[in-house]
Amino acid sequence: MTTHSNTPAGWYPDPHGAPRTLRYWDGAQWTQHTHADQQAAPAGQPPQPQMPQMPQQAPGPDPRVQRQVQQQAGVAAGGPGGGSLFTEPVLVVNQKAKLIELTNEYTVMDQNGHQIGSVTEIGQSALKKVARFVSSLDQFMTHRLEIRDAHGQPQLVLTRPAKFFKSRVEVSRPDGSPVGEIVQQNMIGKINFAMNADGRQVGAIKAENWRAWNFAIVDHADNEVARITKTWEGLAKTMFTTADNYVLQIHYQLPEPLLSLVVATALTVDTALKQDSRGLG
């Protein structure tokens, strides 16, 4: 194409190019660009070269969580679950590490470390937090926890009334409709809990040793349907923080309300058993 010194700078259709191809004259030379490039450039200015966009990749498995599940809890790697609190065969429950626990908070992940939920304590007053800080009176206080999905939407609400000797946890839906309750059966020896719904026992949680670190969960016929294993969080965390970590393995898809009670049990077993908050008292 012949050019002249009086050709103004700007965009011109390329007669030899594709219909959406333009040429830019900067006063000294021609450069060719696509219509998309021209749209991205400021008016009257040559376009900037566009870098190819790399596709977004989903985060991969977390080797720390996989080690917690497979090596510490002894749960064999399994296939993918449904991606929610009620469809995953393995739930990893890790408490947020704090020097003094004023609010119970847990992260819930699948067996590969992808967060699928959380648990947080709700409805605490400032006075209650002060009392937890200066004393060891957690067992004499009522605790309410909200189990939320990956999007922060409430799925279950748990209330543990003030305990004097035995724990009891009430489980309900976010709209207030009851699911059931988890009731401590004994105080001496291996701790057992009954899971009740509609006035009948639908299952039980049985501690496998007196320290109540690991639990077998059974149905109404005493068949094991799930297992809770406490995992070692390290000497520093154990001695100086409140963190407790658990792995729940559900052996097969459970019916309701047993499924909701099993999930509620695994996510709040620490609160149900807790005698104090390791406060200053």
Side-chain angles (χ1 to χ4, degrees):
M1 179 182 294
T2 304
T3 61
H4 303 280
S5 58
N6 60 351
T7 300
W11 291 96
Y12 300 87
D14 185 349
H16 305 294
R20 296 177 63 83
T21 302
L22 302 177
R23 306 184 79 193
Y24 184 83
W25 172 252
D26 63 4
Q29 62 180 357
W30 290 96
T31 54
Q32 180 174 300
H33 302 276
T34 65
H35 182 61
D37 290 337
Q38 186 266 341
Q39 284 183 317
Q45 298 294 326
Q48 298 296 320
Q50 296 183 349
M51 298 297 293
Q53 294 185 354
M54 299 298 293
Q56 294 287 335
Q57 295 184 351
D62 187 334
R64 296 169 299 179
V65 174
Q66 290 181 319
R67 183 167 56 252
Q68 181 181 351
V69 171
Q70 298 173 25
Q71 298 180 16
Q72 296 181 351
V75 177
S84 74
L85 292 169
F86 303 102
T87 58
E88 285 290 331
V90 176
L91 296 180
V92 181
V93 186
N94 287 350
Q95 188 175 17
K96 293 186 178 181
K98 304 172 186 178
L99 291 177
I100 298 177
E101 183 180 67
L102 301 182
T103 301
N104 296 328
E105 293 181 291
Y106 304 81
T107 299
V108 187
M109 296 167 285
D110 65 14
Q111 59 189 314
N112 291 315
H114 302 131
Q115 184 168 349
I116 58 176
S118 62
V119 184
T120 188
E121 189 160 4
I122 58 175
Q124 285 202 108
S125 66
L127 180 61
K128 180 178 177 181
K129 290 184 178 181
V130 171
R132 295 183 73 176
F133 180 76
V134 301
S135 68
S136 298
L137 299 176
D138 261 15
Q139 63 176 319
F140 304 114
M141 300 178 181
T142 296
H143 298 279
R144 297 185 70 240
L145 298 102
E146 203 168 67
I147 297 177
R148 301 168 180 171
D149 64 15
H151 305 288
Q153 296 300 312
Q155 301 297 304
L156 294 171
V157 178
L158 293 90
T159 302
R160 197 210 75 180
K163 62 177 285 188
F164 293 94
F165 298 106
K166 297 180 181 179
S167 285
R168 181 171 62 88
V169 177
E170 301 166 356
V171 184
S172 62
R173 304 293 180 192
D175 62 3
S177 58
V179 175
E181 61 179 7
I182 304 162
V183 183
Q184 185 176 344
Q185 297 294 289
N186 62 310
M187 295 178 56
I188 301 175
K190 299 177 181 179
I191 302 298
N192 293 327
F193 293 83
M195 293 186 291
N196 302 326
D198 298 324
R200 60 188 177 89
Q201 185 171 339
V202 297
I205 306 108
K206 299 182 176 182
E208 296 188 336
N209 53 62
W210 67 272
R211 302 182 74 176
W213 277 3
N214 301 326
F215 298 85
I217 303 177
V218 300
D219 61 13
H220 69 284
D222 207 36
N223 300 311
E224 183 175 310
V225 297
R227 176 172 293 273
I228 299 174
T229 304
K230 181 176 181 180
T231 54
W232 176 247
E233 63 268 23
L235 182 61
K237 283 189 176 182
T238 299
M239 294 183 63
F240 301 111
T241 75
T242 62
D244 287 305
N245 301 333
Y246 298 85
V247 173
L248 168 69
Q249 180 187 18
I250 301 177
H251 300 329
Y252 53 86
Q253 187 66 31
L254 302 176
E256 290 290 356
L258 181 59
L259 175 60
S260 290
L261 290 174
V262 168
V263 171
T265 297
L267 302 190
T268 59
V269 65
D270 182 59
T271 299
L273 289 177
K274 184 174 286 296
Q275 299 299 316
D276 59 69
S277 64
R278 301 180 200 177
L280 298 181

